[in-house]
Amino acid sequence: MKKILVLMMALGLALGMVSAHAEPAVGGWTPFVQEAGELPEDAQAAFDKALEQLDGAVYTPVALLSTQVVAGKNYCILCQITPVVPDPVPTWALVYIYADLQGNAEIMNVYELYIAQHAYPAE
């Protein structure tokens, strides 16, 4: 019985430590919950700055998914990408942007999402 009581107390203490840690840890990704639409002001500014020199496609931000505090801030943004070509086929991608402390921003990675097209029987 003592072992169970000690185990329950240790579990309670561990859970208390986890729930008390509300601030994101430096270097850890923090999910960002929002409705689809406009990005928060800081994310929009980093997005605009990072895409200033980009040609050949139109990146439309849909939602900020996550942020990471580093020496600056990283953003993971869900985007629709439309190439600037005749008969473009838009795609979806996770765009990772780094904004430094001086206000500079750059695209670090673009991970294109491949969405399978399924044929469903007509009802």
Side-chain angles (χ1 to χ4, degrees):
M1 185 69 164
K2 279 187 175 181
K3 287 182 181 179
I4 292 174
L5 183 58
V6 170
L7 183 59
M8 294 293 283
M9 288 174 58
L11 181 60
L13 180 60
L15 290 175
M17 289 172 56
V18 170
S19 62
H21 184 65
E23 290 296 315
V26 173
W29 283 93
T30 303
F32 189 85
V33 180
Q34 73 169 55
E35 293 182 23
E38 292 184 21
L39 297 177
E41 189 175 319
D42 63 327
Q44 186 67 54
F47 183 83
D48 293 342
K49 184 74 171 173
L51 273 77
E52 280 180 350
Q53 304 300 319
L54 191 64
D55 290 329
V58 175
Y59 285 65
T60 305
V62 176
L64 174 61
L65 302 181
S66 186
T67 60
Q68 181 185 38
V69 176
V70 290
K73 200 172 203 180
N74 288 323
Y75 300 91
C76 175
I77 301 172
L78 174 65
C79 293
Q80 183 178 43
I81 302 174
T82 306
V84 181
V85 296
D87 301 320
V89 176
T91 59
W92 294 91
L94 298 178
V95 178
Y96 288 84
I97 294 174
Y98 168 67
D100 66 21
L101 298 173
Q102 289 75 37
N104 302 308
E106 63 181 299
I107 294 175
M108 301 303 292
N109 289 306
V110 176
Y111 295 106
E112 193 167 342
L113 303 174
Y114 295 97
I115 302 171
Q117 298 295 321
H118 296 284
Y120 295 100
E123 294 184 26

